[in-house]
């Protein structure tokens, strides 16, 4: 019996599941990502693979580098919001953002503690582009270069824009990179319907759309939902991607934290799973 037990245990040993985190796009709404990370930290939940798009890529890179939610809050505090706002002009250069990010995630993807990838969109073909090598800051600004506020960012001979047009919540990429289960966060689950927007806002949106060189694919969000095991959906209905006031950011952080806490039993059960070695 002892020998049988030895071989049974030897060939049936299990290891913790490789848990992935996929962070969606949403501009300033990314404060909700940081709030969710705070909730994960409180429960000792960590992730082995991280992917993100736009602001989700920036928060994801900081996490993959080893920053805590408190560290990230401090980084946000250090941002000169007035200077940032001054750079929000039609097809502006994102060099200022790249220089800022170099202070925190300088180096190449290979320097990160965790496997990490960010998603962008090709300005010529409208195809999605996976970025997981080379300069991290450069890849991050490419993934966040949303037109018409910013011009494209060139990487490898391609003119890249915000990844939200082709994969807003890259949970599928997280699994392709080795995650066996994925927790994802959708910052745009609650959007104001077009009919509720004022006439001026609708006209402005139409005018802006005419100058945007890339288009949103039909499955830009659904592919993330299809791949995610748990999708967190903080209710950010009352906020815009450009809301950078102290009050708005604090509230978005709290909503991200609350959404993660509300699903914590489910997340803990997923994280506790074991798989065969």
């Amino acid at each position: 019996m002892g020998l049988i037990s030895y071989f049974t245990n030897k060939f049936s040993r299990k290891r913790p599941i490789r848990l992935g985190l996929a962070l969606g796009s949403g501009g300033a709404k990314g404060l909700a990502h940081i709030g969710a990370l705070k909730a994960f930290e409180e429960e000792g939940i960590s992730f082995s693979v991280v992917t993100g798009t736009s602001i989700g890529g920036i928060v994801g890179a900081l996490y993959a580098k080893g920053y805590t939610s408190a560290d990230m809050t401090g980084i946000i505090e250090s941002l000169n919001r007035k200077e940032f706002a001054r750079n929000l002009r039609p097809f502006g250069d994102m060099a200022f953002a790249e220089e800022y990010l170099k202070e925190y995630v300088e180096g190449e993807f290979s320097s990160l503690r965790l496997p990490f990838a960010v998603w962008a969109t090709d300005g010529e073909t409208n195809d999605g582009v996976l970025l997981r090598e080379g300069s991290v800051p450069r890849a991050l600004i490419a993934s966040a270069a949303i037109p018409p506020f910013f011009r494209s960012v060139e990487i490898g001979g391609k003119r890249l824009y915000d990844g939200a047009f082709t994969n807003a919540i890259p949970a599928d990429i997280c699994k392709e990179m080795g995650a066996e289960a994925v927790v994802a966060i959708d910052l745009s689950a609650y959007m104001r319907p077009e009919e509720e927007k004022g006439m001026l806002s609708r006209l402005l949106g139409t005018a802006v759309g005419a100058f945007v060189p890339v288009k949103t694919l039909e499955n830009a969000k659904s592919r993330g939902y299809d791949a995610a095991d748990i999708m967190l959906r903080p209710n950010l209905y009352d906020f815009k991607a450009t809301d950078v006031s102290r009050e708005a950011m604090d509230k978005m952080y709290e909503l991200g934290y609350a959404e993660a806490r509300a699903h914590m039993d489910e997340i803990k059960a997923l994280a506790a799973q074991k798989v065969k070695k």
Side-chain angles (χ1 to χ4, degrees):
M1 286 295 293
L3 188 61
I4 294 174
S5 297
Y6 169 78
F7 280 105
T8 299
N9 291 332
K10 179 177 177 63
F11 293 104
S12 64
R13 286 183 297 178
K14 295 184 177 181
R15 59 168 173 77
I17 196 168
R18 281 176 60 82
L19 194 62
L21 178 65
L23 302 177
S25 60
K29 296 179 185 180
L31 267 295
H33 285 326
I34 302 176
L37 289 176
K38 172 63 174 175
F40 299 148
E41 290 168 358
E42 290 177 346
E43 297 295 336
I45 295 171
S46 59
F47 299 89
S48 301
V49 182
V50 186
T51 58
T53 293
S54 197
I55 187 61
I58 293 172
V59 175
L62 292 170
Y63 181 86
K65 188 75 172 180
Y67 291 100
T68 67
S69 62
D71 294 331
M72 295 181 204
T73 300
I75 291 171
I76 297 297
E77 291 284 353
S78 71
L79 176 65
N80 186 327
R81 291 193 287 275
K82 289 184 178 180
E83 179 66 22
F84 180 81
R86 278 198 291 269
N87 283 280
L88 285 178
R89 56 185 181 274
F91 295 101
D93 193 331
M94 290 197 74
F96 77 98
E98 185 175 8
E99 289 304 310
Y100 180 75
L101 289 168
K102 283 180 179 179
E103 295 183 33
Y104 305 101
V105 287
E106 173 67 290
E108 301 201 346
F109 281 72
S110 58
S111 69
L112 300 176
R113 297 183 182 183
L114 298 174
F116 170 72
V118 67
W119 194 262
T121 301
D122 190 316
E124 294 184 1
T125 66
N126 214 105
D127 293 330
V129 178
L130 177 65
L131 300 172
R132 57 178 307 189
E133 60 182 21
S135 167
V136 175
R138 188 72 175 174
L140 296 180
I141 64 167
S143 178
I146 184 166
F149 296 110
F150 301 111
R151 70 182 65 163
S152 62
V153 175
E154 184 173 338
I155 296 180
K158 296 180 178 180
R159 295 187 304 105
L160 303 181
Y161 287 101
D162 197 299
F165 292 98
T166 49
N167 195 350
I169 317 163
D172 55 331
I173 304 304
C174 209
K175 285 193 169 175
E176 289 177 12
M177 291 173 60
E180 292 153 332
V182 176
V183 176
I185 305 179
D186 180 5
L187 299 179
S188 304
Y190 298 89
M191 298 287 286
R192 194 175 299 278
E194 283 296 317
E195 59 270 19
E196 289 189 14
K197 296 179 181 179
M199 178 64 73
L200 182 59
S201 293
R202 293 201 299 272
L203 289 174
L204 182 60
T206 301
V208 167
F211 292 96
V212 173
V214 285
K215 304 300 179 185
T216 302
L217 300 184
E218 289 186 5
N219 69 338
K221 279 187 64 171
S222 62
R223 61 188 291 182
Y225 273 79
D226 290 342
D229 294 88
I230 297 175
M231 181 67 75
L232 301 183
R233 305 169 72 245
N235 190 343
L236 302 172
Y237 180 88
D238 292 327
F239 302 94
K240 300 176 183 177
T242 53
D243 282 339
V244 293
S245 70
R246 163 53 52 202
E247 182 180 5
M249 292 195 300
D250 287 348
K251 185 59 178 177
M252 289 186 285
Y253 177 98
E254 293 168 3
L255 289 169
Y257 176 84
E259 175 71 1
R261 295 294 330 173
H263 293 270
M264 193 55 69
D265 287 345
E266 186 182 1
I267 296 168
K268 288 169 68 175
L270 184 65
Q273 290 183 23
K274 304 286 184 178
V275 295
K276 288 184 179 180
K277 288 186 177 181

